[in-house]
Amino acid sequence: MSIKEEIDKLTEELKVYQDKYYKEGVSLVSDSEYDRLTDRLIELEKEHPELQHPDSPTKRVGSDLTNDFPEVRHTIPVLSLDKAYSDEAVLDFFSRSIQKEGGALSFAAEEKIDGISMVLYYENGVLARAVTRGNGEVGNDVTANIMTIGAVPLSLPEPLDIAVRGEVYLNKADFEKLNAAESDDAKKAANPRNLAAGTVRRQKSSEAGRVPLTMFCYEGFWANKEETPSDHLHILSRLKTLGFRINPHLAFFDSDKETARQKLAAAGLDGDPYAFSELDEFIKKKTAERKDLPYEIDGLVFKINELDVRERFGYTEHHPRWAIAYKFEAPQAEAKLLGITVQVGRTGRITPVAEISPTKLGGSTIRRATLHNQEYIDELELAVGDTVSISKRGDVIPAVESVIEKNNEGNTTYTLPSLCPCCHTEIVQIGGLQYCPNYDCPDQVKGRISYFASTDQMDIETLGPKTVELLYDAGILRSIEDIYSADYSGAENLPGIGEKSIALLKKGIKESLGRPFITVLSSLGVAEIGRKSAELLVKNGFDSMNRILNAVDRKDREAFAAIPGFGELTADRIITAFSSPSLRKTIEALSEAGLHMDAADDEKEKSEEQIFSGEVWCITGSFRNFNPRTKALKEIEKRGGRTVSSVTSKTTHLLAGEGGGSKRADAERLGVKIVTEDEFMKAIGGEKENEGNEDGQLLLF
Ligand code: IVH
């Protein structure tokens, strides 16, 4: 046998043993026999490097040569993923995508492995390069180290040109074992990811080879586009056939479970089928299972299945538009607490706010975070100067989560002032919360005016909190009723306000005169009377301001308490609030200004028939005719319907657009009527065929 023949034979033989071992965990030969054959091949390759196969099994062992990780340009886009922190945000991604595509889509859901992103480039079926992500365009060539990973095929059964993306990682158990064996504390890694990252960049691949790294692959890019499978499921199944390790924990989402199941089966993959409506269930399940997985995951990845759609959606500068990562933990950051300021809300509620060192968090710079109330500060034992951790979930206001390090300036736990920071009235305690009891406190007045004018209330365009503040400070607006009687001519010289905005403001004010009585009632800022209680009042006979005030003056507690959901406490509070001379003055002035003080006023002017009156609507998914979808809410409200953000037993209708999620399942379970966009359009007369039946009644409702 010639040297070449011997090398070829050893190469073939060892490949079979390795394959069997790495893929199935089966040893076909004893360890000593395996080592003997390997050593012989290493020796022959050393003497005749020109005869070494590029995918020689000796690469698994690594070598003592020094790696220098040259920079290599990627030939595929190596981007990271856009992030979501709530199931709502993932559902939103589903529905936005479906809406954009204007047709049905399905989504693969994978575990987001907390490891090192790696691209494997195969040329003619042989692993040519393994390249780190780097900056997305240029990465480091770490091929020698990656070749020691048993799960990485050194060659493929077919002579393909293909790039495969995946995650190199270390199992938790292997990490614990290796870290325990490391006697130098300074060299211990903080987590499996760090150890894996260090290993990938070991200078000697023989050392990298001693760390049992492994790899899951999740994306494939064929040089020859025609060979590219048509969807993600078929890519995964093809990668699997080619010898790559694919994470078996795959889930697949479609509009219904059966379709999802069929698509998985068609691709020959084991995976869990889900309907879109089961998303929150899926996320809950994965969150619970996370700690029991042998490896670390930091989230879930949702990817559009259809490749042609991916191509149409393309990429932003940073992310593909066809995928999103759901992260288990909200972003957290460290900041220093520079001070605590105190805000006075429209109801007099006092809220402490943390002023923190500018901190980047979830894509924006945070300077303030809520501290809720004194009790919360006491629980944290929070003092100015402390280093704190800040969190942000989804879109909500950032909050101080915990104290990381106490200040060394001698500051002790912060206590709210005893006087209102705005009007210096003594602060009072009500049910663990702090309030300024002065109805005329400037901050409260400003808050009340802003609330009255806000989009969800009287919706007076251009009268936002900033304008209110300016007009208040200039002495032009000093109460809600002033809105309708103020002389705005003096406002034109105020900074940021000009003739144009005054004209717009006047127009907005005029338009607001036509708002229905319920809106007027709920805009007054009486703590007990939000939109829901305003509706309840009207529905239960208090359909005019006079009826309400008469009962208040009679101190007719029973009449209010009899309203379902009200009770005596609320009744008493309503009586107290409406007995206040200041509020009475406001109501009188608003009535004179011409605002609706009687539900009957609405009838006169009403342009829309109140076809949804008494109904409670929730919406889900995305809509052809309403973008943003809050426009659909407005249509419902205009017609007397109430809108809520989740489906409960009180909900009467669910307006379901494309791609809605768990709300649909909730509606089905609770027997809530599900209305399609087409049906809704008919009901509101948005389409020609809105004729109704012979009685002129709408067919649906
Ligand atoms: S897909 C263009 N799938 O998470 C496709 N990424 O910022 C982008 N990751 O850099 C990646 N598990 O390193 C994808 N199943 C998975 C993943 C995954 C982990 C990593 C990947 C990426 C980062 C996202």
Side-chain angles (χ1 to χ4, degrees), residues 77 79-81 110-113 116-117 133 165 167 218-219 301 303 315 320 322:
L79 303 177
S80 59
L81 295 166
E110 296 167 0
E111 290 169 336
K112 186 169 181 302
I113 309 292
I116 315 302
S117 200
R133 178 165 70 192
R165 206 174 153 181
E167 207 77 359
Y218 44 71
E219 294 289 329
V301 184
K303 307 169 173 181
Y315 298 84
W322 42 261

Side-chain angles (χ1 to χ4, degrees), residues 505-573:
L505 177 61
K506 285 186 179 161
K507 184 170 158 267
I509 290 173
K510 199 163 157 210
E511 276 172 12
S512 77
L513 287 170
R515 304 275 183 261
F517 172 59
I518 284 186
T519 307
V520 175
L521 189 56
S522 70
S523 301
L524 293 173
V526 173
E528 267 62 41
I529 305 188
R531 183 154 290 264
K532 194 174 158 195
S533 359
E535 273 166 17
L536 280 170
L537 276 167
V538 170
K539 214 167 113 188
N540 288 279
F542 291 103
D543 54 0
S544 76
M545 195 60 87
N546 274 338
R547 292 216 165 87
I548 294 174
L549 296 183
N550 286 340
V552 166
D553 290 344
R554 286 199 312 271
K555 303 231 176 300
D556 194 348
R557 190 189 202 201
E558 284 68 40
F560 291 118
I563 296 174
F566 270 40
E568 296 197 342
L569 193 63
T570 307
D572 284 344
R573 288 192 180 148

Side-chain angles (χ1 to χ4, degrees), residues 226-523:
E226 272 148 40
E227 292 176 42
T228 311
S230 65
D231 63 29
H232 188 66
L233 290 183
H234 284 89
I235 289 188
L236 291 181
S237 120
R238 182 91 170 95
L239 289 178
K240 198 168 156 188
T241 316
L242 290 172
F244 294 96
R245 194 160 161 262
I246 304 302
N247 188 343
H249 298 161
L250 172 72
F252 194 69
F253 283 81
D254 210 309
S255 52
D256 66 275
K257 207 183 189 115
E258 181 52 25
T259 316
R261 200 192 57 74
Q262 283 168 6
K263 288 189 184 169
L264 279 163
L269 289 171
D270 289 329
D272 297 328
Y274 283 94
F276 294 139
S277 56
E278 295 169 313
L279 178 75
D280 58 346
E281 195 180 299
F282 168 71
I283 289 182
K284 279 198 193 100
K285 176 171 172 275
K286 293 305 292 185
T287 309
E289 284 172 2
R290 181 185 177 196
K291 60 175 190 327
D292 301 322
L293 290 172
Y295 42 82
E296 300 271 13
I297 64 173
D298 58 347
L300 303 164
V301 184
F302 295 88
K303 307 169 173 181
I304 292 180
N305 184 41
E306 295 76 13
L307 269 268
D308 54 336
V309 178
R310 286 191 185 185
E311 201 145 308
R312 274 200 291 283
F313 280 25
Y315 298 84
T316 71
E317 220 176 302
H318 309 286
H319 323 289
R321 290 202 179 87
W322 42 261
I324 198 161
Y326 168 86
K327 300 269 279 187
F328 288 126
E329 268 114 32
Q332 298 250 345
E334 248 181 71
K336 193 170 156 117
L337 182 64
L338 304 175
I340 293 174
T341 51
V342 178
Q343 284 182 349
V344 189
R346 64 180 172 87
T347 60
R349 168 90 187 271
I350 305 271
T351 316
V353 176
E355 306 287 338
I356 54 168
S357 51
T359 303
K360 273 224 171 358
L361 183 60
S364 54
T365 301
I366 314 284
R367 291 186 171 79
R368 324 183 82 193
T370 182
L371 288 168
H372 308 292
N373 51 45
Q374 182 67 52
E375 203 176 7
Y376 190 72
I377 294 175
D378 292 341
E379 272 167 24
L380 297 177
E381 301 189 313
L382 184 67
V384 172
D386 288 356
T387 303
V388 294
S389 101
I390 310 286
S391 79
K392 188 177 166 192
R393 294 173 187 274
D395 299 329
V396 300
I397 315 161
V400 172
E401 293 277 344
S402 62
V403 173
I404 295 172
E405 210 182 315
K406 290 303 291 175
N407 70 89
N408 47 25
E409 297 141 44
N411 293 338
T412 52
T413 303
Y414 175 86
T415 322
L416 279 167
S418 58
L419 302 182
C420 168
C422 177
C423 68
H424 310 293
T425 307
E426 185 117 17
I427 289 173
V428 296
Q429 297 274 341
I430 305 173
L433 300 176
Q434 293 78 39
Y435 288 89
C436 163
N438 173 16
Y439 188 79
D440 296 321
C441 170
D443 278 356
Q444 289 191 48
V445 179
K446 289 176 194 173
R448 275 201 302 272
I449 300 175
S450 303
Y451 176 73
F452 182 88
S454 64
T455 332
D456 290 342
Q457 299 299 327
M458 297 296 281
D459 195 13
I460 305 180
E461 229 175 307
T462 73
L463 194 53
K466 285 236 169 68
T467 311
V468 169
E469 169 122 44
L470 279 170
L471 294 174
Y472 182 96
D473 291 344
I476 295 168
L477 261 193
R478 284 294 164 103
S479 65
I480 290 176
E481 58 269 33
D482 281 356
I483 296 176
Y484 297 95
S485 60
D487 174 7
Y488 291 99
S489 56
E492 281 170 20
N493 304 323
L494 295 175
I497 301 191
E499 228 172 282
K500 239 199 194 146
S501 41
I502 297 291
L504 273 176
L505 177 61
K506 285 186 179 161
K507 184 170 158 267
I509 290 173
K510 199 163 157 210
E511 276 172 12
S512 77
L513 287 170
R515 304 275 183 261
F517 172 59
I518 284 186
T519 307
V520 175
L521 189 56
S522 70
S523 301

